[in-house]
Amino acid sequence: MKKGKKLYEGKAKIIYATNEKNFVIQHFKDDATAFNNKKRAKIDGKGILNNRISEHILKNLGQVGIKNHLVKRINMREQLIKSVEIVPIEFIVRNIATGSLTNRLGIEDGTVLENPLIEYCYKNDELGDPLVSKEHIFTFNWATKKEIEKIDKYLHRINDFMIGMFRGIGIKLVDFKVEFGRHKSGNKNEIILADEISPDTCRLWDINSEKKLDKDRFRKNLGNVMQAYQDVARRLGILHEESNIRTVKFPKPKAVKIKKNK
Ligand code: UDP
């Protein structure tokens, strides 16, 4: 498949056309933005890690039946994906209250929610991605009732899967944002998971220390952003740099005498 012209450039990614109408190339940049673009920086290597982490998560989600746009990773920074018409909603799933939820409603930071909370935000940078209700979505035809029903089901399944996956590597999934799109296959439009899932779009806390391993390190000037992203990749088993592997020393096993059966 041949890479064509640039179709769209966002804050962290670029989309290129290919010679096939139904497929595009997603390129991960090193740019980081926060607070509605007011804070910006380049974080060397972030795009490479997000490409790998997102590939890993979407591949796994695909295997448990969550249809998504990933076809395959092409190189360090690019993936071949199915082209979609993005639903103009950011779908946020929260397990622990933090970030804008605590600021908006005065809920204590770190409150564990009894059930996952789903929030819908209208994707519009000029308006600062405002929180909207399902009624807004239907009134302004941003998505149909059937589409939102399907997406809500997907959101719970994605959350369940990711909670388990991260718990297995000592990480709490605090919250995350995902996007969905309509992919044309034949003459029907199918809702599939799109965009990316990475430490840019999730809040990830170490289970024991509650150390932040996500974009909050950039938002809050906590430093060591790349180290945190690398830690996530390493724990997921997708980073194998010798220099970064912590060596664990096991005590020498004691010699044990085995008695022969008489
Ligand atoms: N999020 C995102 N993109 C956005 C807004 C939020 O990926 O434009 C993610 C964010 O990283 C977090 C979750 O969605 O994992 C909930 O974010 P919140 O609404 O608390 O956003 P804040 O304004 O605090 O970043």
Side-chain angles (χ1 to χ4, degrees):
M1 207 157 298
K2 271 192 192 149
K3 186 168 165 181
K5 64 171 198 257
K6 190 195 283 189
L7 295 177
Y8 166 83
E9 179 155 4
K11 286 173 271 184
K13 294 184 293 287
I14 306 172
I15 301 292
Y16 294 95
T18 70
N19 51 339
E20 283 200 37
K21 207 177 101 225
N22 282 339
F23 298 92
V24 291
I25 288 169
Q26 174 166 252
H27 175 106
F28 288 76
K29 301 194 285 184
D30 284 340
D31 301 57
T33 62
F35 311 119
N36 206 13
N37 236 345
K38 285 185 198 103
K39 179 172 176 163
R40 295 177 206 209
K42 248 195 166 66
I43 302 172
D44 281 345
K46 177 176 81 76
I48 295 173
L49 282 172
N50 282 353
N51 185 19
R52 293 293 303 270
I53 295 171
S54 194
E55 175 205 15
H56 179 83
I57 298 176
L58 263 60
K59 217 190 230 175
N60 278 281
L61 285 171
Q63 283 166 3
V64 295
I66 311 288
K67 290 192 181 170
N68 65 68
H69 71 171
L70 180 74
V71 180
K72 63 172 183 181
R73 185 167 61 82
I74 307 169
N75 57 44
M76 299 268 276
R77 288 192 182 270
E78 292 176 326
Q79 339 182 306
L80 181 65
I81 57 170
K82 294 177 179 174
S83 66
V84 294
E85 177 203 8
I86 284 283
V87 174
I89 301 293
E90 296 198 337
F91 297 89
I92 292 175
V93 182
R94 301 179 183 273
N95 298 305
I96 298 176
T98 193
S100 68
L101 178 66
T102 53
N103 301 334
R104 208 181 332 114
L105 302 179
I107 311 290
E108 197 185 336
D109 196 276
T111 306
V112 176
L113 306 176
E114 219 164 281
N115 292 300
L117 173 67
I118 296 179
E119 290 180 337
Y120 310 96
C121 294
Y122 177 47
K123 258 174 82 72
N124 185 318
D125 280 342
E126 275 170 38
L127 302 175
D129 299 339
L131 185 72
V132 294
S133 69
K134 277 191 194 177
E135 281 67 29
H136 288 96
I137 298 177
F138 305 142
T139 301
F140 301 112
N141 292 317
W142 292 325
T144 65
K145 282 195 175 150
K146 225 173 149 187
E147 285 173 335
I148 293 296
E149 248 168 50
K150 183 163 186 185
I151 290 173
D152 282 350
K153 278 191 191 142
Y154 267 171
L155 292 174
H156 286 286
R157 287 175 55 199
I158 295 168
N159 190 38
D160 287 345
F161 177 83
M162 291 217 297
I163 286 177
M165 181 187 71
F166 281 117
R167 189 181 289 147
I169 55 170
I171 292 175
K172 274 193 240 186
L173 177 65
V174 174
D175 57 30
F176 62 93
K177 183 266 310 184
V178 279
E179 296 184 25
F180 288 83
R182 303 176 186 101
H183 175 67
K184 257 210 167 88
S185 68
N187 52 4
K188 66 173 189 181
N189 261 337
E190 189 179 32
I191 281 283
I192 60 175
L193 175 65
D195 194 50
E196 70 172 294
I197 301 183
S198 72
D200 267 7
T201 62
C202 300
R203 283 201 175 93
L204 305 168
W205 294 353
D206 179 84
I207 277 182
N208 298 316
S209 64
E210 300 220 320
K211 180 181 167 190
K212 296 182 199 310
L213 301 171
D214 56 65
K215 198 169 151 188
D216 269 355
R217 301 206 71 81
F218 167 70
R219 292 189 188 100
K220 297 172 179 247
N221 294 324
L222 299 175
N224 295 331
V225 183
M226 271 308 284
Q227 284 86 339
Y229 282 43
Q230 275 174 1
D231 192 7
V232 173
R234 201 181 298 116
R235 294 194 204 193
L236 285 169
I238 52 180
L239 192 73
H240 301 288
E241 293 159 52
E242 279 307 314
S243 57
N244 282 314
I245 293 173
R246 277 173 297 189
T247 46
V248 181
K249 281 189 180 156
F250 293 100
K252 256 190 177 175
K254 282 182 189 156
V256 181
K257 268 192 179 171
I258 300 168
K259 279 185 188 167
K260 274 187 191 162
N261 282 339
K262 280 180 189 166

